Amino acid sequence: MFHLLKMILFFLAFFVLKHEYSTAQYIPPYTSFFIPLNKHTDAAKPLFSAQIMTSYSNFQFNHSNFLIDIDAPITWHDCIVQWNMYQRNCPENVLCTDAVNCDEDICTEVQKYSYISPYCPRLKRTAPSPTGNCTCPINVMNPVDIWCSQPVVNYDTFFVNTSNGRNPLPVFISASLNAACAPSSSFELFPNNVNGVIAFSSSPYTFILSLDQPPLKKIFSLCLPSTTAAPGILFYGNGPYYFIPNSNVDVRSYLSYTPLLNHPDSFGYFIGVDSIVIKNRSINVPANSTTKLSTIEPYTALRTDIYNSVVRRFSLVTKRLIPTSPVPPFSNCYNTISNGTKLKLKVPHIDLILSGGNKWTISTTNSMKYVTQNVSCLAFVDGGATPNYAIVIGTFQFEDNFLELNLENSTFGFSSSLLRKHTSCSHYNHTIVTG
């Protein structure tokens, strides 16, 4: 009974805060919103999801897991649209949402942000239903099989947790957005229990912008976990952010910054990498090269000319390691056991020298991937001779790094490995503070 009463009070607090939030004098008790992030290894490649509260029923929130995509122009997920939500005829265990009519202005606006790809068919109006309604399709790209489909645009309301920087607070905030409904078959190759894609890009229809509620700033931070056993976290807002056991240290104090760069053909995020340094030797990155951040690609991909230079230098400074046969997609692999003894694998840092001169250090835990108990490989891959982007930084290099994308002043903050600070992305205290 106590827990039921507490949930009712929490939910009432949510509505009161939403009402008071519109007044200029109101200062919320929270400093940020947060979303738990999970790692999945049961698909073709490691992927990460955001755990979103999608509906409220029976005095509790229902959760869904959405793949994190910082390129996607719109959020899309497993749901169906209904023209009359008051009929309450939604099938059991199915999320139903309000449809956007093809004649509404918002349909035309959202369709401007469809994926442009040779895999995607041309958008066209759907035939009116017997009730005179027609749906609003949009092109989306499936990040798992790189195939285009056409879900239909809807009106969604999700819910997110709030935080004071140290703990969650018993207040939940709604985020209203235009998303898209796709059939369940669209998610067959996704990790188990993941049935959507959440957009954290720079598109005006990104989920991030649906959280825009002053006085919180337009800043979001990703901290991807290195384990499937405990979640990482995404923050949106002002901070500060404290991880245990360093409970009095704002993790943002570890950050260095570089400008975020625009790219005319993408809603993703880009930075400038001027050179790559391995044990005091600098590898030049051509000035016209583009470096993209990705939450879909698992390992950093380097254009062939850059990749060959990195591998050559890395091989030279790791001659003491025992090489073994390559394990695709990696070319440089090493034995981690010699004469029955487990070797302590430590290799030189790989430093990315970024625009502005700051250094993003990729230490052993983010540069070497254990593919078996006996073999570890350099976790960089050959991106080909003529890729779209010279460098794509993947999620293995993100793990246990605190990354801040500041949409207010277009900067990218990076901590390098939190493990060197004796904490990790799984060390946020999820105990709710009620007093």
Side-chain angles (χ1 to χ4, degrees):
M1 184 67 183
F2 171 75
H3 293 294
L4 176 61
L5 178 61
K6 187 164 69 171
M7 282 303 301
I8 293 172
L9 291 174
F10 288 175
F11 203 54
L12 288 174
F14 154 70
F15 282 111
V16 170
L17 282 169
K18 284 291 286 182
H19 173 72
E20 292 182 347
Y21 204 93
S22 61
T23 65
Q25 294 79 18
Y26 176 68
I27 299 176
Y30 47 84
T31 57
S32 61
F33 306 140
F34 80 91
I35 301 170
L37 307 180
N38 295 300
K39 181 176 181 178
H40 303 270
T41 57
D42 57 345
K45 58 185 177 182
L47 292 164
F48 293 82
S49 71
Q51 183 177 301
I52 303 293
M53 295 179 285
T54 51
S55 61
Y56 186 84
S57 61
N58 299 322
F59 300 105
Q60 65 180 1
F61 284 103
N62 301 311
H63 296 81
S64 295
N65 293 317
F66 295 71
L67 284 188
I68 300 167
D69 191 348
I70 57 175
D71 279 328
I74 188 171
T75 295
W76 55 287
H77 60 111
D78 187 0
C79 56
I80 61 173
V81 294
Q82 294 192 142
W83 294 106
N84 187 349
M85 293 298 289
Y86 296 103
Q87 292 177 349
R88 301 295 181 188
N89 58 352
C90 184
E92 189 176 355
N93 298 322
V94 174
L95 184 62
C96 295
T97 60
D98 291 308
V100 168
N101 194 296
C102 67
D103 292 323
E104 293 183 65
D105 290 342
I106 190 64
C107 177
T108 303
E109 289 301 311
V110 174
Q111 285 182 334
K112 293 178 182 177
Y113 297 93
S114 277
Y115 275 91
I116 300 174
S117 166
Y119 299 109
C120 295
R122 185 173 63 89
L123 290 174
K124 57 184 178 182
R125 294 167 63 94
T126 60
S129 68
T131 61
N133 298 309
C134 56
T135 57
C136 176
I138 186 172
N139 284 330
V140 298
M141 186 69 71
N142 187 317
V144 177
D145 60 9
I146 317 299
W147 193 253
C148 193
S149 60
Q150 286 191 346
V152 294
V153 181
N154 63 282
Y155 296 102
D156 253 316
T157 299
F158 297 149
F159 304 89
V160 294
N161 299 278
T162 59
S163 169
N164 62 7
R166 297 183 185 276
N167 297 86
L169 299 178
V171 178
F172 305 98
I173 295 299
S174 66
S176 298
L177 67 155
N178 288 112
C181 283
S184 299
S185 59
S186 302
F187 308 100
E188 290 177 351
L189 298 180
F190 279 41
N192 290 334
N193 301 316
V194 177
N195 54 9
V197 174
I198 192 162
F200 289 140
S201 70
S202 61
S203 159
Y205 293 98
T206 181
F207 181 73
I208 284 295
L209 292 187
S210 73
L211 299 176
D212 184 21
Q213 296 185 11
L216 270 61
K217 296 178 181 178
K218 296 177 184 177
I219 303 172
F220 76 97
S221 301
L222 283 170
C223 205
L224 299 184
S226 57
T227 174
T228 60
I233 196 161
L234 178 144
F235 290 107
Y236 178 93
N238 301 347
Y241 307 120
Y242 301 98
F243 288 5
I244 53 179
N246 306 324
S247 301
N248 294 316
V249 179
D250 183 354
V251 71
R252 297 177 305 170
S253 66
Y254 302 143
L255 299 182
S256 300
Y257 295 90
T258 192
L260 280 172
L261 306 178
N262 294 322
H263 194 283
D265 300 320
S266 175
F267 296 112
Y269 300 100
F270 300 83
I271 58 174
V273 175
D274 294 336
S275 62
I276 301 171
V277 176
I278 303 175
K279 205 169 184 179
N280 302 320
R281 179 69 60 85
S282 179
I283 298 164
N284 183 55
V285 175
N288 61 346
S289 301
T290 302
T291 298
K292 178 183 180 180
L293 307 175
S294 174
T295 53
I296 298 299
E297 295 305 319
Y299 309 106
T300 293
L302 306 173
R303 195 176 62 206
T304 298
D305 59 319
I306 303 171
Y307 177 79
N308 288 341
S309 297
V310 167
V311 167
R312 189 161 46 245
R313 177 60 181 166
F314 187 83
S315 299
L316 186 64
V317 299
T318 56
K319 286 184 176 180
R320 59 183 177 79
L321 298 181
I322 305 169
T324 188
S325 300
V327 179
F330 310 118
S331 63
N332 280 48
C333 297
Y334 305 90
N335 280 321
T336 57
I337 293 181
S338 177
N339 297 322
T341 302
K342 183 80 170 179
L343 303 177
K344 185 177 181 180
L345 187 66
K346 187 174 182 181
V347 300
H349 297 325
I350 299 175
D351 294 325
L352 306 182
I353 309 303
L354 307 183
S355 298
N358 282 326
K359 177 177 64 178
W360 184 356
T361 295
I362 300 174
S363 53
T364 303
T365 53
N366 294 110
S367 66
M368 300 298 294
K369 167 71 174 177
Y370 278 94
V371 294
T372 70
Q373 291 186 340
N374 302 339
V375 176
S376 184
C377 301
L378 178 64
F380 290 75
V381 298
D382 188 341
T386 57
N388 291 331
Y389 311 106
I391 301 174
V392 177
I393 303 179
T395 54
F396 188 76
Q397 280 67 46
F398 289 170
E399 291 180 1
D400 288 324
N401 282 239
F402 194 85
L403 308 175
E404 178 188 276
L405 291 107
N406 189 322
L407 309 184
E408 298 266 341
N409 60 17
S410 294
T411 58
F412 174 68
F414 52 96
S415 67
S416 299
S417 179
L418 293 178
L419 301 179
R420 301 167 69 191
K421 304 295 184 180
H422 308 292
T423 188
S424 75
C425 288
S426 298
H427 276 67
Y428 174 71
N429 189 344
H430 286 268
T431 304
I432 296 178
V433 174
T434 57

